Amino acid sequence: MPDSLGWRKHPVILNYGVPVLSVGVVLIIGRWLDLYFRAAPVSLFICAVTFSAWLGGFRPGLLATILSVLVFKYYFVPPVYSLALETAEIPRLVVFSVAALFVGSLSAGQRSATEALRESEQRFREYAETASDWLWETGPDHSFTRISERLTTVGIAPVSRIGVTRWAFATDVAEDAEKWRLHVATLEAHQPFHGFVYRTAAADGSVVYISTSGRPLFDADGRFLGYRGVTTDVTAAVRAEQAEKALHQAQAELARVARVTTLGELAASIAHEINQPLAAIGADANACLHWLAADRPDLDSVREALTAIVKDGHRAGEVITRIRTLLARSSVAHEPCDLSGVIQEVLPFVGPEIGRHGILLQTSLAPALPPVLGDRVQLQQVLLNLLLNAVEAVREVPPERRRLLVRSTLDQREDGPWALVAVEDAGVGFGAAEASRLFEAFYTTKPGGLGMGLSISRSIIDSHRGRLWAAANPDHGATFHLALPGMR
């Protein structure tokens, strides 16, 4: 289309004045040559059309074509000085007109393509100059042959990288040897790569993390020429990721310390729970020795006592296993968990404490809770913390109010099933002023408390994409609610 030919960069008077001027100049030259060579200067008019179309575009080229045809007919095609046509001269004039129009269109199209190419180059040059990324090229030996000046924004001079490979100035080659081995293998296989992150140093010695991507280059015969690609400064993102990882590790360590502290408070209860099977084992063993000392040993009684010893030994072992699991320093791995099973595993930890204070523990567990995705030990820690808080809340109230209720229900929501657990007590409860601060770190209503249990518990549930909240009961005490999304 003529409007798309990009010839409107010049003033209109210049675009349309050039055809008139060029055809006029050609006419003068042609008339002068005609005096000596007696031949119509067709090539000169073609040159005028070509020049007009190249300078102005399609429409000025068309104007030059029309003027050239009229002048050529009037001055050089019989009958001269007339626009009348002789039949014999029509083919000649048609050929000239078609040739001029073709050359003009071709010249205008070539100019348009050249202009579009220049605009495209300028556009991408502006993109490269304003973007935060920098461009690079490497040779067949993977050493850099060209790097854009944007590299200076991270404190590195581009000239310092010319002629060297990226692993020659990277500072993490030794510690990430496998990563670099795979990268070099990719380069040797002439395969594209994307998002390769490595560490280097700026001129001032500061650490810089960069992410680079590249594609291989080949000539027409398929010979490998090197790579061309783009690099981005990702230092801020990597440092943020490192800080977040360190924060998670600190939170996990703090949670482990909280578990140790909790178990310290439960030491008496744990000892009591272990002593029960140990005492039973001792009694059964003494009975076995007594029966075996008789003239006619009662083998049935001995067999029954040995079976009881094995059972109590397994019981003591399970207690130790639960304690070791709760104290384990392990990374958080979310796996399918049966929340009802987690509740059943935690209840024995608080059983002796509940019995010591004459607390009535009731459970109402849904028969078919959906499995949840989470860390079993962390969920045990949350439930154990809620139960211990409930025990402390009711042990100072009158005996008739010393009761706890642990219930679980299934909640069907628009986004799928959720498992709900509630720990309800009839203890001292909390006031309206305390409600908004219950889950704050280092806030506690207990003498000598650290104020970290509920804060850590909420952070654990948040990491499981769940909710943990508290509500005061209408009569006495409080209820802590825990909601976790079921696996989909």
Side-chain angles (χ1 to χ4, degrees), residues 233-248:
D233 178 17
V234 294
T235 304
V238 171
R239 287 178 175 171
E241 182 180 355
Q242 291 174 345
E244 183 178 3
K245 185 181 296 185
L247 177 60
H248 287 168

Side-chain angles (χ1 to χ4, degrees), residues 249 252-254 256-257 259 324-332 377:
Q249 291 176 349
E253 183 63 22
L254 185 59
R256 193 188 73 85
V257 171
R259 292 198 296 269
R324 293 183 61 184
T325 303
L326 198 60
L327 287 174
R329 183 196 299 269
S330 58
S331 59
V332 177
V377 173

Side-chain angles (χ1 to χ4, degrees), residues 17-288:
V18 167
V20 177
L21 180 62
S22 60
V23 173
V25 171
V26 168
L27 173 61
I28 294 173
I29 296 175
R31 293 287 292 168
W32 178 75
L33 292 176
D34 195 48
L35 296 175
Y36 296 96
F37 297 103
R38 301 295 179 183
V42 175
S43 59
L44 292 179
F45 287 101
I46 295 297
C47 290
V49 172
T50 302
F51 178 72
S52 300
W54 174 257
L55 183 66
F58 179 79
R59 291 175 180 174
L62 181 62
L63 175 61
T65 301
I66 296 174
L67 293 177
S68 296
V69 170
L70 293 177
V71 170
F72 183 71
K73 166 62 189 73
Y74 190 83
Y75 287 99
F76 301 101
V77 178
V80 294
Y81 307 120
S82 172
L83 294 178
L85 282 174
E86 293 182 358
T87 304
E89 297 295 335
I90 290 178
R92 181 186 179 190
L93 191 61
V94 170
V95 170
F96 172 75
S97 302
V98 171
L101 184 61
F102 173 75
V103 171
S105 300
L106 186 63
S107 180
Q110 185 178 5
R111 180 187 186 280
S112 175
T114 303
E115 190 67 27
L117 180 60
R118 289 177 180 174
E119 291 180 356
S120 177
E121 291 178 351
Q122 181 63 27
R123 185 183 307 112
F124 284 104
R125 184 178 296 109
E126 292 174 354
Y127 288 159
E129 291 176 353
T130 57
S132 59
D133 302 343
W134 57 90
L135 310 178
W136 54 265
E137 291 183 9
T138 59
D141 60 348
H142 308 302
S143 61
F144 287 99
T145 59
R146 181 178 301 174
I147 303 178
S148 60
E149 292 297 323
R150 295 295 298 179
L151 182 59
T152 57
T153 59
V154 296
I156 300 175
V159 67
S160 65
R161 299 295 189 249
I162 301 300
V164 295
T165 61
R166 63 175 55 89
W167 51 87
F169 54 79
T171 58
D172 60 349
V173 176
E175 60 190 73
D176 286 334
E178 181 64 17
K179 177 185 75 173
W180 281 100
R181 187 190 66 79
L182 294 176
H183 178 65
V184 173
T186 300
L187 298 182
E188 294 299 332
H190 304 161
Q191 296 294 321
F193 61 92
H194 178 74
F196 178 72
V197 179
Y198 64 96
R199 189 182 68 221
T200 185
D204 59 358
S206 60
V207 175
V208 179
Y209 290 92
I210 56 179
S211 174
T212 185
S213 303
R215 294 183 62 86
L217 302 176
F218 301 93
D219 62 10
D221 297 328
R223 289 189 296 269
F224 175 65
L225 302 178
Y227 275 85
R228 180 180 296 157
V230 61
T231 301
T232 306
D233 178 17
V234 294
T235 304
V238 171
R239 287 178 175 171
E241 182 180 355
Q242 291 174 345
E244 183 178 3
K245 185 181 296 185
L247 177 60
H248 287 168
Q249 291 176 349
Q251 288 177 338
E253 183 63 22
L254 185 59
R256 193 188 73 85
V257 171
R259 292 198 296 269
V260 174
T261 304
T262 301
L263 286 174
E265 298 174 358
L266 286 176
S269 299
I270 294 172
H272 176 74
E273 187 171 352
I274 295 177
N275 283 334
Q276 284 184 341
L278 292 180
I281 290 174
D284 290 333
N286 288 328
C288 285

